[in-house]
């Protein structure tokens, strides 16, 4: 019951994947700090500092914290009011041979900032893999419905026909841009490295008796041991908080994509043309038992709005960093970075779940087309009359009058659109009555939509997903299940 007595963020308690929730967990954070301290000790030993093999072995054997060590660290932090030093002392208790060299020459940001960069890179990788799966699922949907005509909407008013698959390519194209942006942010990410209290590396220069080459090699070696190809060439005490802006910008942009996509699905659900999955035991409303609310798409919109705003924190934080460091970034970033990635993770899982269970209702779509298509077909009818020897202006006037009569039936009397019945009943149109069915065939109004879908999938989607990393993610991906 203790877990229910205190507030827990729903991001981790209700929605997020185990992988993303673990990535930002205290256990993983402090485990990563210990790996960074080990990497620093290894590099310092390689470069000649007096660090014993026993110290290294004890550090390697105690990279993970148990419950007792968490209790010790909490007591130390309460006493010292310093989280990093609390964990330095805690690590030293289980690795006593290393107690005197843990954190040697470093400042707190050696572990906090470098760890954040590790978490950011791994989190971006998780998002890329999940986004690839979402794109793949929507691509299959687009291919399946490449040539199913549907009413297009501009201003949410009936417009020319498109296809269900072509509409999906509009969503996919934006998701592809998100894939590009997130990959770019990940691949551009560097390491803070070993820079010291104000970024001058003065403490390490002292440790190595003024040997600049060894200090540079220390920075390079720790960066390599930590799995990064390069470290930022200069820094203050922290890595520049502008990096956080660059990382959160593509996540915010993805939030906009997800919100637009989910909003389209919510509108389509209202039209009863396309619906998200709805389980047999699912309840849409506690009062209205018949309802099938699009709760998944609504959740996507709700969380996407949150995701879009998180970047403002990064912008504000970066703008107020005084000189070499100010601590007013710390508490904000403890919330901002995990929340951004947890939120993006949840949105992607929900999008995948939706994409894998979309239900299309062709008969409803056809009925709506039949209500609007007669008006759209009037130009084709006029052209057919002219080709049959009629007068264009006379045909136009005939159609205009019949169209207004049909519109009166629809708008004033609430009846069906009977324009074509009126055309069939008017002797003037006898020359083309045998062509009316062909003139009203919906597929004659969709232009190159099916071909556009085929070309887009072949030339843009499949190449984007051909990357080995993304192919591996697609191979191991199962169906997305929601906790709630």
């Amino acid at each position: 019951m203790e877990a229910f007595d205190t507030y827990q963020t729903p991001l981790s308690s209700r929605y997020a994947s185990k992988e993303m929730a673990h990535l930002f967990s205290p256990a993983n954070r402090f485990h990563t700090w210990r790996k960074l301290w080990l990497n620093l000790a290894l590099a310092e030993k390689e470069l000649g500092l007096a660090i014993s093999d026993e110290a290294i072995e004890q550090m390697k054997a105690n990279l993970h914290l148990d419950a007792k060590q968490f209790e010790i660290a909490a007591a130390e932090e309460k006493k010292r009011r310093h989280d990093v030093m609390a964990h330095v002392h805690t690590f030293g208790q289980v690795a006593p041979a290393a107690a005197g060299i843990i954190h040697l020459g470093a400042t707190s940001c050696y572990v906090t900032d470098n760890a954040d960069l590790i978490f950011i890179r791994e989190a971006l990788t998780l998002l890329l893999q999940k986004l690839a799966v979402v794109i793949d699922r929507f691509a299959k949907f687009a291919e399946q419905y490449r040539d199913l005509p549907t009413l297009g909407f501009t201003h949410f008013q009936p417009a020319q026909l498109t296809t269900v698959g072509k509409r999906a390519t509009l969503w996919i194209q934006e998701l592809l841009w998100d894939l590009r942006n997130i990959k770019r942010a990940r691949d551009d990410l560097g390491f803070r490295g070993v820079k010291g209290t104000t970024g001058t590396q003065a403490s390490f220069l002292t440790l190595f008796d003024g040997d600049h080459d060894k200090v540079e090699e220390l920075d390079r070696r720790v960066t390599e041991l930590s799995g990064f190809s390069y470290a930022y060439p200069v820094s203050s005490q922290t890595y520049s908080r502008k990096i956080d802006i660059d990382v959160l910008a593509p996540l915010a942009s993805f939030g906009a994509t997800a919100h637009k996509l989910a909003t389209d699905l919510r509108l389509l659900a209202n039209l009863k043309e396309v619906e998200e999955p709805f389980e047999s035991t699912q309840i849409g409303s506690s009062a209205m038992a018949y309802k099938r609310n699009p709760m998944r798409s609504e959740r996507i919109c709700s969380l996407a709005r949150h995701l879009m705003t998180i970047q403002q924190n990064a912008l504000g934080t970066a703008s107020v960093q005084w000189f070499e460091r100010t601590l007013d970034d710390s508490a904000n970033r403890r919330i901002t970075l995990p929340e951004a990635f947890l939120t993006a993770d949840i949105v992607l899982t929900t999008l995948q779940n939706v994409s894998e269970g979309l239900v299309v209702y062709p008969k409803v779509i056809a009925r709506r087309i039949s209500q609007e298509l007669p008006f759209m077909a009037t130009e084709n009818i006029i052209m057919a009359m002219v080709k049959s020897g009629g007068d264009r202006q006379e045909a136009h006037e005939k159609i205009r009058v019949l169209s207004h009569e049909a519109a009166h039936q629809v708008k004033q009397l609430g009846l069906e659109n009977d324009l074509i019945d009126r055309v069939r009943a008017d002797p003037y149109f006898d020359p083309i009555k045998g062509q009316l069915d062909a003139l009203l065939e919906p597929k004659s109004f969709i232009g190159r939509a099916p071909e556009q879908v085929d070309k887009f999938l072949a030339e843009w989607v499949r190449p984007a997903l051909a990357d080995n990393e993304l192919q591996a993610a697609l191979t191991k991906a199962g169906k997305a299940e929601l906790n709630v």
Side-chain angles (χ1 to χ4, degrees), residues 26-36 63-65:
N28 189 52
R29 178 172 298 278
F30 302 132
H31 166 66
T32 303
W33 285 10
R34 290 187 175 188
K35 286 199 297 183
L36 285 164
L63 293 177
H64 293 277
L65 286 75

Side-chain angles (χ1 to χ4, degrees), residues 63 96 239 317 323:
L63 293 177
Y239 71 78
T317 296
F323 300 116

Side-chain angles (χ1 to χ4, degrees), residues 273-343:
E273 293 187 359
V274 180
E275 287 183 344
E276 65 178 38
F278 195 92
E279 296 159 23
S280 60
T281 58
Q282 184 174 331
I283 296 173
S285 168
S286 62
M288 295 168 279
Y290 61 88
K291 294 198 76 179
R292 293 171 64 95
N293 297 333
M295 53 79 67
R296 292 167 171 82
S297 298
E298 290 173 316
R299 179 182 297 173
I300 291 168
C301 288
S302 181
L303 291 170
R305 286 201 307 275
H306 178 58
L307 183 57
M308 287 186 280
T309 65
I310 293 178
Q311 192 202 7
Q312 294 300 315
N313 270 333
L315 289 165
T317 296
S319 71
V320 297
Q321 293 304 290
W322 301 348
F323 300 116
E324 280 67 48
R325 166 87 216 249
T326 177
L327 197 60
D328 63 353
D329 63 335
S330 179
N332 187 294
R333 294 176 69 254
R334 287 173 192 259
I335 301 168
T336 296
L337 292 177
E339 280 202 358
F341 285 103
L342 288 168
T343 304

